[in-house]
Each structure stands twice: as C-alpha cells, then as structure tokens.
Amino acid sequence: MQIRITGQSMEPTLPEGSIQEVALTDQFELGDVIVFLDPKDPTRLLVKRL
C-alpha cells in the first residue's frame, strides 16, 4: 500500500508530500516507523516512530 505524507512532524526522515510504500506486519522494533488508523478519526492514517 502507498501513502502520501502530509504534515512536517516526520521530517527529515519522511518529507511532506512524499509517497511511501508500507507493508503490513505484526512485528515491531524500537525505531520502526508505523502507520495506523487514528482512533479519533478512523478515516485518517497516522505515521509515528516507535
């Protein structure tokens, strides 16, 4: 799945406007960047670093 980065909170790692390829997994490590549904707005994806 591809997502477009909006906002500047992940710069410089993920520049605003860039398109990123993401893969589904259930195994995470400290430092991984994850994408998940916003619990307050399930139509929106959030991108965060663990």
Side-chain angles (χ1 to χ4, degrees), residues 4-50:
R4 179 179 301 276
I5 303 299
T6 58
Q8 300 174 347
S9 66
M10 291 297 295
E11 286 188 355
T13 305
L14 301 173
E16 183 174 15
S18 66
I19 297 175
Q20 302 295 319
E21 185 74 29
V22 296
L24 298 176
T25 183
D26 58 358
Q27 298 178 5
F28 309 108
E29 295 182 14
L30 195 61
D32 286 350
V33 175
I34 61 169
V35 178
F36 58 97
L37 291 175
D38 183 340
K40 296 180 181 176
D41 180 1
T43 65
R44 184 175 160 201
L45 293 173
L46 297 177
V47 179
K48 300 293 179 184
R49 182 183 312 277
L50 295 178

